[in-house]
Amino acid sequence: DTGVSQNPRHKITKRGQNVTFRCDPISEHNRLYWYRQTLGQGPEFLTYFQNEAQLEKSRLLSDRFSAERPKGSFSTLEIQRTEQGDSAMYLCASSFRGRAAYNEQFFGPGTRLTVL
Amino acid sequence: DAKTTQPPSMDCAEGRAANLPCNHSTISGNEYVYWYRQIHSQGPQYIIHGLKNNETNEMASLIITEDRKSSTLILPHATLRDTAVYYCIVWENTGFQKLVFGTGTRLLVSP
């Protein structure tokens, strides 16, 4: 399978704990995105990387959230001191910066976080 | 905030065409119309996009009105596997890459 993969698929944690999610994009894709989705809502943008550079961050990305893409390949999203409001599906997507007027993003299956 | 308005839900009989409307009355000249869908427990999947002209691919057709204030996604022969939430998104190629999803239309295809 050469699609976007995310690990773990499910994570249950206690309030106050730190969690880290991993995303492996499609290999030739140089752009990587993180979104968050709560029940009944569409995905909300969190942050975006082009290669290893983090170019956009949403105001939703509080100080407790940090994302990295150290070698321009896989990415990690860390949430420190988790809160119950962080419970959501965290989606990763990737795309290839080729044709300028084109933004097809390929999404992974997501990591479902439950904070107790 | 999403710049589109979609009905919250629609039904369609299997084998019939599903026509999903989207209003984007404030769309600017540089903004494209994108459609994604999300099947239960999966990430969103790109369907089609267009700027001014109607577009067709192996999944669907996109009809954009002449004033570009609305569009319709057409699934010509809906199957049970097309049951999903369909998102209409406007996106401007100005360097910002984020997609702004609304709440979409939940399409239920029934036998």
Side-chain angles (χ1 to χ4, degrees):
Chain A
D1 189 342
T2 58
V4 177
S5 62
Q6 293 187 245
N7 288 289
R9 293 293 308 276
H10 303 273
K11 178 70 176 179
I12 300 174
T13 191
K14 293 182 179 180
R15 184 166 53 93
Q17 297 295 305
N18 299 344
V19 294
T20 300
F21 310 140
R22 176 178 170 125
C23 171
D24 287 89
I26 294 172
S27 60
E28 64 269 24
H29 284 185
N30 53 4
R31 291 177 166 173
L32 187 146
Y33 316 79
W34 285 98
Y35 291 82
R36 181 176 71 184
Q37 186 173 26
T38 54
L39 196 63
Q41 302 297 313
E44 296 175 291
F45 172 81
L46 291 178
T47 190
Y48 147 66
F49 290 85
Q50 181 160 309
N51 300 313
E52 66 275 9
Q54 189 173 18
L55 297 185
E56 285 185 64
K57 290 172 63 174
S58 164
R59 53 187 165 84
L60 293 175
L61 213 65
S62 75
D63 292 344
R64 297 184 297 106
F65 287 70
S66 63
E68 294 183 342
R69 195 183 183 200
K71 297 182 179 180
S73 57
F74 73 92
S75 175
T76 58
L77 177 67
E78 180 183 16
I79 309 174
Q80 297 182 330
R81 305 180 303 281
T82 53
E83 302 173 356
Q84 288 184 326
D86 297 331
S87 295
M89 176 75 82
Y90 290 84
L91 292 160
C92 176
S94 69
S95 70
F96 177 70
R97 182 177 183 272
R99 294 157 58 184
Y102 193 50
N103 190 9
E104 178 182 355
Q105 297 182 15
F106 294 81
F107 283 80
T111 295
R112 181 167 296 283
L113 172 66
T114 301
V115 181
L116 302 176
Chain B
D1 293 335
K3 299 181 180 180
T4 61
T5 304
Q6 299 177 253
S9 63
M10 294 183 64
D11 295 324
C12 180
E14 188 178 20
R16 304 297 295 269
N19 298 293
L20 292 92
C22 179
N23 286 323
H24 31 79
S25 58
T26 61
I27 193 170
S28 67
N30 295 327
E31 288 181 317
Y32 291 74
V33 179
Y34 277 73
W35 284 83
Y36 279 73
R37 73 179 182 183
Q38 188 171 24
I39 296 171
H40 183 62
S41 297
Q42 297 182 21
Q45 175 192 24
Y46 166 84
I47 301 173
I48 198 168
H49 78 282
L51 182 62
K52 296 180 181 178
N53 300 321
N54 299 335
E55 302 287 345
T56 295
N57 63 19
E58 65 278 4
M59 291 183 67
S61 294
L62 174 61
I63 308 298
I64 302 174
T65 58
E66 191 170 347
D67 63 7
R68 302 207 327 122
K69 294 185 177 182
S70 65
S71 60
T72 301
L73 179 74
I74 301 173
L75 308 178
H77 306 286
T79 70
L80 300 180
R81 287 174 294 183
D82 291 322
T83 292
V85 178
Y86 288 77
Y87 296 100
C88 170
I89 300 166
V90 295
W91 177 74
E92 184 173 5
N93 182 27
T94 57
F96 292 101
Q97 295 300 313
K98 67 179 180 182
L99 294 173
V100 180
F101 292 80
T103 52
T105 295
R106 184 172 299 276
L107 176 68
L108 176 63
V109 181
S110 302

